[in-house]
Amino acid sequence: KKLTAFLEQTAVEQHSGKYLEGDARFANCRILGTKKRGKAITAYTWTFYQEYSYQNGKLESVSGSHIPTIITVTKENGEYQLVEYWMPRDGAYYAEDIKAHFPFHLWLRALDSERYADRQKKACRELAEEYFKENPEKMPEFVEVADFPMGHTKFDIINFAAFHILFAKFVYGIKNENG
């Protein structure tokens, strides 16, 4: 369990900033197999990475990836340390890279992109839902009752204000520095 948590945190760190940015990031690693060599532990995984935001009042998947990865770590003083994070190249090299890096007995599972995807997607979404439930201030539409009238979002207030500015310009001919 602790290894999986470390792999997922590592995946978040490795993938962050490579996709369209969301407000929260999560990963789910399905370990297909492991290999120990000295102090090194190599985990062969399917990694599902997803970035989420709240848009129009609902949780939305913004970007992410689902890719077989090989993550090599060491464990010293009870703590894991990243040694290497490997992903296959895209396109024609994809299957070739997996066959070159994954053990033979894992090839079929590593090449089967649908096998774990639904469960991993669900696990990441549940983490995102829990995160936003515990951190409602991270939701753009979240409004404290003290900030705006009951039942209104900040976007309603902005639209209301914009309407009145345009109305005043039209009726009274009020101009600002932009005309």
Side-chain angles (χ1 to χ4, degrees):
K1 203 71 166 161
K2 191 173 180 184
L3 174 61
T4 302
F6 180 80
L7 297 176
E8 291 171 347
Q9 180 58 40
T10 299
V12 168
E13 292 167 3
Q14 293 292 316
H15 291 269
S16 289
K18 294 182 179 176
Y19 308 98
L20 185 61
E21 194 172 328
D23 296 314
R25 297 148 191 79
F26 301 96
N28 179 275
C29 291
R30 170 66 184 221
I31 299 174
L32 306 178
T34 59
K35 178 176 71 176
K36 280 186 157 187
R37 183 177 294 168
K39 290 183 176 185
I41 302 166
T42 300
Y44 300 91
T45 74
W46 257 106
T47 298
F48 189 94
Y49 171 80
Q50 202 69 47
E51 298 206 21
Y52 296 91
S53 288
Y54 250 84
Q55 299 173 355
N56 301 318
K58 62 183 182 174
L59 183 64
E60 297 286 344
S61 171
V62 176
S63 63
S65 68
H66 186 228
I67 190 163
T69 57
I70 301 173
I71 308 169
T72 303
V73 301
T74 57
K75 188 175 184 181
E76 295 182 30
N77 302 322
E79 297 295 320
Y80 290 104
Q81 301 293 318
L82 178 64
V83 175
E84 182 181 17
Y85 192 92
W86 178 88
M87 296 182 295
R89 295 173 287 177
D90 289 339
Y93 298 108
Y94 183 80
E96 179 184 317
D97 281 359
I98 290 171
K99 290 178 178 178
H101 290 84
F102 276 73
F104 174 77
H105 70 281
L106 297 177
W107 284 4
L108 289 178
R109 289 193 285 162
L111 290 167
D112 185 355
S113 64
E114 298 302 315
R115 186 177 217 159
Y116 309 106
D118 289 341
R119 284 178 279 184
Q120 290 183 289
K121 181 178 183 178
K122 183 179 181 214
C124 283
R125 186 166 188 85
E126 287 171 357
L127 289 171
E129 288 169 352
E130 182 179 323
Y131 171 82
F132 283 109
K133 189 182 292 181
E134 292 175 3
N135 301 281
E137 71 281 359
K138 302 288 185 184
M139 293 185 238
E141 288 85 4
F142 175 78
V143 177
E144 292 282 351
V145 174
D147 292 340
F148 299 112
M150 195 69 155
H152 292 283
T153 68
K154 65 183 174 187
F155 299 109
D156 293 334
I157 302 303
I158 291 168
N159 289 337
F160 183 76
F163 168 79
H164 279 82
I165 290 169
L166 291 173
F167 182 78
K169 283 183 176 186
F170 178 75
V171 172
Y172 301 110
I174 299 172
K175 296 184 179 189
N176 61 18
E177 65 270 2
N178 297 326

